Amino acid sequence: MNLFSDPRWADALNRLPDYLGNHVRVSLTALALGLAISFPLALFVRRRPVLRDVTFGIASIVQTIPGLALLALFYPLLLALAALSLQWFGYKFSAFGFLPAVLALALYSMLPVLRNTITGLEGIDPALTEAAEGVGMTQYQSLTIVELPLALPVIMAGIRTAAVWVIGTATLSTPIGQTSLGNYIFAGLQTQNWVFVLFGCAAAAALALAVDQLLALVETGVARRSRMRIVLGLFGIVALIVATLIPSIGRARANYIVGAKTFTEQYILSSLIAQRLQAAGLSASSREGLGSNVIFEALTTNDIDVYVDYSGTLWLNQLKRTDTPPRGELLKQLKSTLVDKHKISLIGELGFENAYALVMPRKRAESLGIGSIADLSSRAGTMTIAGDYEFFSRPEWAALKQNYNLAFRQQRQMQPDFMYAAVASGEVDVIAGYTSDGLIAKYDLVVLDDPKHAIPPYDAIMLVSPKRADDSELLKSLQPLLGKISIAAMREANLRAASNDGTSSPDEVARWLWEKIGKR
């Protein structure tokens, strides 16, 4: 079969205008902001040694912060500022997606521009500046007529570096809600769609190389005083921006935004919800790959309209509760608290539970006589456990350690789907899996009992934002999903999405799932 006949390539190409356009938009804005700050700042501090050293120090520290961490840090900061702005001035801005991504990326762009601007200016022969002063030029005239033109090739090299850094780092903005080429990579990793991963990496690299080469043309034009090269380079940059932005700008913005977290099941459910809204004549799109706290805050602030969460996650993470009442009572209290505190509507359960659970290979567990977490506790000191990127900082893990006195030899963090292959192959001994995952059956794993009920119920529940609480069209279109998805159906859907055969994208699996449950 021809490689490019794989339907995943067609799917990737179909998403390119949206992802690429948004990637260029956020990168261009961040780079422009970074230049607007760092270039004047470099001119201001270059003759002030103390300020220059402090500025370089701060910019260097920013570069040591991992890109994903820097992007994530801006989200809670802007949330707090948005709340203060609303309280003090009656104006609230969105802290979701574009703004935190632009600010973080702008900071990332500053060091090479600062460094090259100062280096270029300091590298000018002092005799030239003295000659400029000798013919009566002011400092401003000397700077603009003599120094900057001579330093411009070095400054352009810094801008090229900044542009490549910004375009590459922008792929990490997906978890804070900014659509980018990173959507391919994050979705591909979660669903084992390696075509998406390859496509996203290649598209980001091609964009960075194209921008770098066009800026290089401008740089050589400046160095050789070739107006033609400068014009061609600038024209190419403008043409690239226009070509990538027009398709995304021309698309009508969806009226409803469906959120999804960072694992396969969430991609399936967000696709299912979006498809049901579209079937009802409502325009909808998905915002995927969001962290648990980010997606909840985005719903609270009306940046997304609907998503599926899990009762135990909200009970522990948002309500900060440590008790575990019966399932019915927990859902009742959760529903009333979400409305009272956040104006969020819990409109119903989907019909299945997806809880965290400790999972082992069945044969290994039987050979060691381990059937529950209590049995595991005495052997944990010789074992390695793996969890997803959130698990070991979540209240569930703290509750398990406290209730069962668990102390493993080593803890490892992995992308969720990789955990199952790792435990099945013996690379790790235990994983913190999910009870609705079809990979449990595929790899013949066993879910260990939790006799002390340290982990609360995790019913899949549908949440709607404050502004959509009375949206009858939305609520009516979601109603057919409530109570219809069994644990068996969800496990099969998750297994289909993890098949990696090119025919089971989350969208396709969502359609299959609706065919299965729509007749019930």
Side-chain angles (χ1 to χ4, degrees):
M1 184 179 73
N2 186 344
L3 175 64
F4 294 99
S5 66
D6 189 320
R8 289 175 294 184
W9 288 102
D11 190 14
L13 284 169
N14 186 52
R15 296 170 188 257
L16 184 61
D18 183 32
Y19 291 178
L20 180 59
N22 278 287
H23 196 105
V24 169
R25 184 168 65 98
V26 73
S27 300
L28 178 66
T29 307
L31 185 60
L33 179 61
L35 287 172
I37 296 172
S38 52
F39 185 67
L41 183 60
L43 297 180
F44 179 74
V45 304
R46 71 183 181 113
R47 299 188 188 278
R48 297 170 172 84
V50 174
L51 277 177
R52 182 179 61 189
D53 292 344
V54 170
T55 302
F56 270 131
I58 293 172
S60 298
I61 289 171
V62 169
Q63 289 298 321
T64 66
I65 302 173
L68 186 57
L70 186 64
L71 286 157
L73 285 171
F74 264 92
Y75 182 66
L77 174 63
L78 289 175
L79 273 178
L81 291 176
L84 288 176
S85 175
L86 181 63
Q87 181 180 347
W88 293 348
F89 309 111
Y91 172 75
K92 186 174 184 180
F93 58 86
S94 174
F96 183 68
F98 185 75
L99 185 57
V102 164
L103 294 178
L105 293 171
L107 279 181
Y108 240 63
S109 73
M110 289 179 63
L111 180 61
V113 178
L114 284 168
R115 183 174 55 207
N116 281 45
T117 300
I118 292 174
T119 300
L121 290 171
E122 289 185 341
I124 295 172
D125 188 344
L128 294 174
T129 56
E130 289 173 7
E133 184 179 349
V135 297
M137 286 187 183
T138 64
Q139 279 194 344
Y140 177 76
Q141 288 173 325
S142 176
L143 175 66
T144 55
I145 298 173
V146 178
E147 297 174 66
L148 282 179
L150 291 172
L152 200 52
V154 179
I155 296 171
M156 282 301 304
I159 294 173
R160 287 175 59 188
T161 301
V164 171
W165 283 4
V166 166
I167 291 170
T169 308
T171 58
L172 301 175
S173 61
T174 297
I176 59 169
Q178 173 58 40
T179 301
S180 72
L181 293 170
N183 283 46
Y184 286 120
I185 299 169
F186 282 91
L189 288 173
Q190 298 303 328
T191 61
Q192 297 192 45
N193 183 340
W194 307 120
V195 168
F196 264 34
V197 175
L198 177 62
F199 197 96
C201 292
L207 177 62
L209 286 172
V211 171
D212 181 63
Q213 289 304 303
L214 290 170
L215 288 173
L217 192 60
V218 175
E219 180 186 339
T220 56
V222 170
R224 299 178 185 180
R225 300 183 184 275
S226 169
R227 188 170 297 176
M228 178 63 72
R229 287 175 179 267
I230 296 173
V231 171
L232 285 174
L234 293 176
F235 178 79
I237 292 170
V238 172
L240 178 64
I241 292 170
V242 170
T244 53
L245 287 182
I246 284 181
S248 62
I249 292 174
R251 289 190 173 191
R253 188 178 185 277
N255 291 329
Y256 295 92
I257 306 297
V258 184
K261 296 188 186 185
T262 58
F263 53 96
T264 303
E265 180 171 291
Q266 285 278 305
Y267 285 91
I268 296 169
L269 294 174
S270 70
S271 292
L272 179 61
I273 293 171
Q275 288 169 14
R276 290 301 90 212
L277 296 182
Q278 291 161 1
L282 307 175
S283 62
S285 63
S286 298
R287 195 72 66 86
E288 301 165 333
L290 307 176
S292 290
N293 288 327
V294 172
I295 197 170
F296 183 81
E297 293 293 345
L299 189 77
T300 303
T301 55
N302 297 305
D303 287 308
I304 62 173
D305 299 301
V306 57
Y307 83 102
V308 173
D309 213 322
Y310 305 91
S311 56
T313 296
L314 297 172
W315 186 256
L316 293 171
N317 287 9
Q318 304 302 331
L319 274 59
K320 309 299 183 185
R321 296 286 291 269
T322 56
D323 57 320
T324 309
R327 173 176 277 106
E329 181 62 25
L330 186 150
L331 285 169
K332 181 180 178 182
Q333 291 186 40
L334 183 61
K335 184 174 184 177
S336 62
T337 304
L338 288 175
V339 171
D340 295 341
K341 189 174 180 180
H342 302 285
K343 310 302 181 187
I344 289 173
S345 300
L346 192 168
I347 63 172
E349 305 145 58
L350 294 182
F352 71 94
E353 181 184 11
N354 183 8
Y356 270 113
L358 298 192
V359 177
M360 291 183 66
R362 185 180 302 279
K363 290 182 179 179
R364 178 104 191 274
E366 290 174 352
S367 68
L368 296 175
I370 298 175
S372 69
I373 304 174
D375 300 330
L376 176 67
S377 60
S378 62
R379 298 180 178 272
T382 63
M383 294 182 168
T384 298
I385 184 172
D388 62 30
Y389 302 124
E390 294 184 5
F391 180 71
F392 296 115
S393 61
R394 290 175 64 102
E396 293 93 329
W397 175 235
L400 284 171
K401 289 196 297 181
Q402 180 179 352
N403 280 275
Y404 294 103
N405 194 29
L406 290 176
F408 285 87
R409 178 173 58 86
Q410 184 183 12
Q411 294 175 191
R412 297 176 63 182
Q413 291 176 302
M414 295 184 181
Q415 191 270 339
D417 286 342
F418 292 166
M419 294 190 308
Y420 293 92
V423 76
S425 66
E427 186 176 340
V428 297
D429 302 293
V430 182
I431 62 170
Y434 318 111
T435 56
S436 65
D437 206 315
L439 293 174
I440 291 175
K442 177 181 178 180
Y443 290 114
D444 193 26
L445 308 176
V446 62
V447 174
L448 302 182
D449 291 335
D450 177 16
K452 296 184 179 180
H453 303 290
I455 299 177
Y458 275 79
D459 292 284
I461 52 179
M462 191 93 72
L463 302 181
V464 171
S465 67
K467 77 174 182 180
R468 300 296 187 185
D470 300 316
D471 189 328
S472 58
E473 287 186 299
L474 173 68
L475 299 179
K476 182 179 179 181
S477 64
L478 297 176
Q479 194 65 36
L481 298 176
L482 302 181
K484 294 292 183 66
I485 306 177
S486 67
I487 185 67
M490 197 67 244
R491 281 176 177 165
E492 187 175 351
N494 286 329
L495 188 57
R496 282 172 175 260
S499 65
N500 195 28
D501 61 1
T503 61
S504 297
S505 69
D507 290 342
E508 291 165 337
V509 174
R511 283 188 280 271
W512 169 86
L513 185 57
W514 173 248
E515 286 294 321
K516 189 174 183 68
I517 67 174
K519 301 173 183 178
R520 292 178 59 188

